[in-house]
Amino acid sequence: MVTTNRAYGGIHKFKLVAAIIARISVSRNNTSASSKHRAWAEVNLTHLRHNLLELQRLLPADCSIMAVVKANAYGHGSLEVADFLANEGVQHFAVAECSEGIALRKRGIKAEILVLGYTSPARFKDLVRYRLTQTVISADYAADLNEFGKKIKVHIKIDTGMSRLGEGCDNMEHIRRMYRHANLQVTGTYSHLSMSDSQQAEDIAYTRMQIQRFYEVTEQLKAEGINTGVLHMQSSYGILNYSDLKFGLARPGIALYGVLGREDDQIMNPVDLRPVLSLKAKVTMVKAIMAETPVGYGRNYVPMEDRKIAAVSIGYADGIPRSLFENGGYVLIKGQKAKIAGNVCMDQLMIDVTHIGGIQAGETVTIIGQDGEETVTASEIASHCGTISNEILSGIGNRVERVYMM
């Protein structure tokens, strides 16, 4: 263990293990997971801990991690992930909307929970009841929160160039007003970098401009005697590329789960991130088909030779992009690559296993993860489909069982 402010080391190992076993169903046996589920995601909590420590290592000693667990913790299971990280000592979490925060509170998470997005006035009572911290997205929204008439913890959002949520950084009078409401307890101020993942010169310049704007706004507020609370600006790529910024919190999302957004992304700070999630399913049937026999919806796969085709128990309703076949997607089975054969169906997909001997029903298929010497990553699938890893992982459906492993 390292020092408390670096890696939250105040929790003894025996206490951590006891808490995890009590709160999370942890499997140490891949075979048992395979025997129970048609499709499942193995979530490696040891890798999650490793990534937490790696990201903390990049940051100044007095900067704490705010773990982003929105969208079911990017597909990893928000309740179990938050449980584990809280036992690792993480004291700040971020969610996208109020219901996600309520679910964490009902799970027993006592740390700060910041709602990054909009909460309807009809749910302001829930912010109070569940002790959630609400993002103030504009001066008008601050007034609405204040008029609710009860004390609400908030973080003020400053728009420094993302042009999404937040009061514009040049609207200083509006910004000042947000801090002056009697019913708003301001515990933080933050912004969001829009191009921190890019190494292009013009994008680096834009990011530096956003950082400068944020510093200027917050320094002016402090000079006027306004308490901004804790400052934060870096999400995953902000940590990986701008780790020297002097803020009190940093908000890793995708990097916490050991993945970069794109397969070819370059980062400034060397870091050893380990993928937390592997996605697997079963072979349900193996079928020999004759040459020129179409496979799947749309007859988009018509082999010119006799082939052996295996059906796999996972489909686009489980989060596998339907277009993966068209873009050269493959899976792993028995340590070898097997191309997807035909359009991905709602509940199944087909793979060509002609070149792999001995495939039978019940065989494990790896969609994301490692099998033998071969690996397929979420970012590789994203590259095939013209998107980012965040979309692939957060799209993994609820009927895919999550199996938590140490």
Side-chain angles (χ1 to χ4, degrees), residues 200-230:
Q200 297 295 318
E202 61 270 28
D203 296 330
I204 292 173
Y206 193 83
T207 299
R208 291 293 180 190
M209 179 192 68
Q210 281 195 267
I211 294 167
Q212 183 60 31
R213 285 174 171 176
F214 188 63
Y215 276 133
E216 288 173 356
V217 169
T218 54
E219 288 303 314
Q220 185 171 339
L221 291 171
K222 291 176 183 178
E224 296 174 11
I226 295 173
N227 184 1
T228 61
V230 66

Side-chain angles (χ1 to χ4, degrees), residues 88 96 118 121 137 254 272 322 330 333 363 372 399 405:
E88 286 293 303
Y118 172 83
I137 62 173
I254 193 67
D272 175 27
R322 190 172 182 272
Y330 64 89
I333 184 168
E363 204 83 53
R399 67 183 185 178
M405 316 180 78

Side-chain angles (χ1 to χ4, degrees), residues 261-282:
R262 300 176 189 83
E263 193 175 12
D264 58 351
D265 277 348
Q266 302 297 312
I267 57 175
M268 294 293 293
N269 292 305
V271 65
D272 175 27
L273 296 178
R274 300 177 184 176
V276 174
L277 180 144
S278 299
L279 181 61
K280 301 183 180 183
K282 294 179 183 177

Side-chain angles (χ1 to χ4, degrees), residues 172-232:
M172 282 304 302
E173 189 48 48
H174 288 176
I175 292 171
R176 290 186 192 95
R177 194 184 311 151
M178 293 191 289
Y179 291 87
R180 292 170 177 162
H181 292 293
N183 291 320
L184 301 190
Q185 183 182 349
V186 179
T187 59
T189 301
Y190 75 101
S191 189
H192 197 102
L193 298 170
S194 63
M195 296 301 299
S196 59
D197 59 338
S198 174
Q199 295 300 310
Q200 297 295 318
E202 61 270 28
D203 296 330
I204 292 173
Y206 193 83
T207 299
R208 291 293 180 190
M209 179 192 68
Q210 281 195 267
I211 294 167
Q212 183 60 31
R213 285 174 171 176
F214 188 63
Y215 276 133
E216 288 173 356
V217 169
T218 54
E219 288 303 314
Q220 185 171 339
L221 291 171
K222 291 176 183 178
E224 296 174 11
I226 295 173
N227 184 1
T228 61
V230 66
L231 303 180
H232 50 109

Side-chain angles (χ1 to χ4, degrees), residues 286-356:
V286 181
K287 182 177 293 189
I289 65 168
M290 302 287 289
E292 300 186 11
T293 301
V295 176
Y297 287 117
R299 298 190 299 165
N300 287 341
Y301 178 71
V302 183
M304 295 298 101
E305 301 173 341
D306 294 353
R307 310 302 291 173
K308 188 183 293 182
I309 300 298
V312 182
S313 56
I314 194 168
Y316 63 74
D318 304 298
I320 308 302
R322 190 172 182 272
S323 63
L324 194 54
F325 158 66
E326 300 170 3
N327 295 291
Y330 64 89
V331 300
L332 305 177
I333 184 168
K334 285 196 169 183
Q336 299 185 58
K337 295 179 180 179
K339 290 184 177 180
I340 295 174
N343 289 335
V344 174
C345 309
M346 178 177 283
D347 314 304
Q348 304 171 73
L349 57 82
M350 288 72 71
I351 58 175
D352 188 331
V353 295
T354 308
H355 60 297
I356 307 174

